[in-house]
Amino acid sequence: MTDPLLSTLRAQPRLAELAAFPFGFDLDRAGHGEDVVLASGAPLEPIAGDDTGGTYFLCDGKAVLYASSEGEAGLMGTSVAEALEILIGLPGWWDVLAPDADPREATTVPYGPDTDAARAELRAGLGLPERTPEELLARLHAALLRTEPEYVLLNAEEGLAYELLDALPRPTLREQVLAAGVEGELPDEDDEFAWIGLAVASGLTAEARIRLIRLLDDTGPDATRLARIAEGLEAAGDPAHAARAQRLVLSLQDTAFDRGSAGRALARLERLSGDAAAARRSLDRAVAALDARPAGPRKDGQQELDLGLPEPPVDTSAENWRRLGLGRMIAEEYLRLALAEADSGHPEPARTALDKARELLAARTGPHDALGPLVQEATWAVQRLR
């Protein structure tokens, strides 16, 4: 449903012209520089822009979010009306994002027409009330403080979160957990992952999820830390971002066995996020990594630069992997993938996954094998597709 104030602006060119200049809400600049989504998954619609490349978005048909061209975003108002009141009353709002800002510094712009006359005409045309700069600034700061967790903006392709538009003080996740009244022995103040776990247990799942996404964006090549982030994101109900973390974990593995194990974990998360095709590719690559023959010493006559370095050790980590627990776990994942493909009505991928699971289990599956019921369930699911 179209917001009535947006409809008014679109229907009255004079009002739309005033909104665009000097108040920086230009309906003709609604395109953003990259595809973006809300972390919450709520609908997002670009509605206007400014001359700096920033974009105003309508979130779920109600609130207005601003995203700069520099990768920052913040909520401007809980409605189009509130956002327009703030933009008209504080056209220099960029200068009053600090907690101790003076709202009078944002009431005019240093160029263009008479701001007061334009403000009065636009307010009257849109039927907006006149509010003091102090009240508008309070509303702006209150809106910005609501950006997390509901209105966090993500790059659609990579999943990276936009930074906050402001630097207003906010309670830490630990403080939010304590405010929720968690009882019992609490973890060390600096154990961030423990507090994230408590946040999920306390019902602050959205807050914990956003914190984990930001941690993921800021974490370098640290496989242990990335694995904990992936675990936390899965617990917070976000297997897609958990898979993003696990891909980085996989890229940091050195041995065939570790690559196969990390690839199996990635496939599980991709399946849980609904991407069966990606899960299938990850499982196949995990098997290929495990089956790859270890490199041995160079043969005589081999063309290779000799720097006088010792021969690298032969990687034997994946020997007999099919008979180990990892083989069973990969087989189980193929079975669950077969079920997922069958549920989606994809007979050929489902049959292929089932066949690969059976092949892996051939040397170890017996009448009392714990995977027997899952094998039977997957078999029936595939047969029903015929």
Side-chain angles (χ1 to χ4, degrees):
M1 182 175 65
T2 302
D3 184 272
L5 288 183
L6 291 176
S7 297
T8 300
L9 287 175
R10 290 164 181 158
Q12 299 191 38
R14 171 59 181 170
L15 296 182
E17 180 183 350
L18 287 173
F21 185 74
F23 301 110
F25 189 83
D26 191 342
L27 299 178
D28 293 330
R29 294 179 180 265
H32 198 55
E34 62 180 357
D35 291 336
V36 290
V37 295
L38 283 175
S40 66
L44 190 69
E45 176 191 359
I47 54 175
D50 62 20
D51 59 3
T52 70
T55 307
Y56 293 95
F57 292 92
L58 188 62
C59 306
D60 201 14
K62 297 174 293 188
V64 175
L65 181 79
Y66 177 81
S68 77
S69 60
E70 303 299 322
E72 301 169 322
L75 193 68
M76 295 297 296
T78 56
S79 67
V80 173
E82 183 177 59
L84 284 171
E85 285 182 37
I86 291 169
L87 294 176
I88 295 169
L90 302 174
W93 60 269
W94 272 102
D95 297 324
V96 291
L97 297 181
D100 56 350
D102 182 352
R104 291 171 295 181
E105 296 179 359
T107 56
T108 60
V109 291
Y111 56 85
D114 183 343
T115 305
D116 289 336
R119 178 181 295 119
E121 182 179 354
L122 187 52
R123 276 177 177 161
L126 295 176
L128 296 175
E130 182 176 353
R131 302 186 192 275
T132 66
E134 290 76 14
E135 183 178 359
L136 292 173
L137 181 62
R139 285 174 173 244
L140 172 60
H141 284 188
L144 290 169
L145 289 172
R146 290 189 56 193
T147 303
E148 291 186 341
E150 188 176 357
Y151 299 102
V152 173
L153 195 65
L154 304 178
N155 170 284
E157 182 177 356
E158 299 175 346
L160 301 174
Y162 276 52
E163 296 294 329
L164 290 172
L165 194 63
D166 64 277
L168 296 173
R170 290 169 166 80
T172 65
L173 189 62
R174 172 179 172 272
E175 291 169 339
Q176 294 177 69
V177 170
L178 292 175
V182 174
E183 299 180 356
E185 184 176 348
L186 297 173
D188 184 85
E189 182 176 346
D190 297 327
D191 191 346
E192 185 161 27
F193 287 104
W195 288 105
I196 288 172
L198 280 177
V200 173
S202 304
L204 299 171
T205 305
E207 290 82 356
R209 174 175 173 256
I210 294 303
R211 182 61 192 143
L212 285 162
I213 290 174
R214 293 201 183 280
L215 284 179
L216 174 56
D217 293 347
D218 295 337
T219 297
D222 185 333
T224 301
R225 184 172 176 82
L226 288 166
R228 294 195 71 180
I229 292 173
E231 180 183 352
L233 284 165
E234 183 181 1
D238 191 346
H241 275 91
R244 180 160 75 92
Q246 185 62 28
R247 288 187 193 99
L248 296 173
V249 173
L250 173 58
S251 70
L252 296 171
Q253 303 310 307
D254 295 325
T255 68
F257 186 90
D258 288 342
R259 287 192 292 273
S261 179
R264 194 279 313 178
L266 172 59
R268 186 180 66 84
L269 291 169
E270 289 170 333
R271 172 178 57 80
L272 291 174
S273 66
D275 194 345
R280 183 171 63 254
R281 289 192 297 271
S282 294
L283 270 183
D284 290 346
R285 289 168 182 165
V287 171
L290 291 163
D291 281 342
R293 298 184 62 182
R298 293 193 302 270
K299 297 179 180 178
D300 292 340
Q302 198 168 4
Q303 297 290 327
E304 188 168 341
L305 180 65
D306 188 356
L307 299 179
L309 300 175
E311 293 284 353
V314 177
D315 182 4
T316 60
S317 63
E319 285 186 348
N320 299 317
W321 70 270
R322 292 168 185 258
R323 297 181 178 274
L324 302 176
L326 180 57
R328 183 185 182 282
M329 288 190 290
I330 291 180
E332 179 180 358
E333 190 53 41
Y334 270 122
L335 291 171
R336 298 196 183 281
L337 181 59
L339 284 170
E341 295 281 25
D343 289 342
S344 299
H346 301 149
E348 191 57 36
R351 189 175 301 110
T352 299
L354 177 60
D355 289 344
K356 289 181 177 181
R358 285 172 168 166
E359 178 186 351
L360 288 171
L361 292 172
R364 53 186 298 128
T365 300
H368 302 295
D369 189 272
L371 288 183
L374 187 59
V375 172
Q376 190 62 60
E377 183 182 0
T379 301
W380 287 341
V382 171
Q383 288 177 345
R384 283 195 296 269
L385 291 176
R386 297 177 180 174

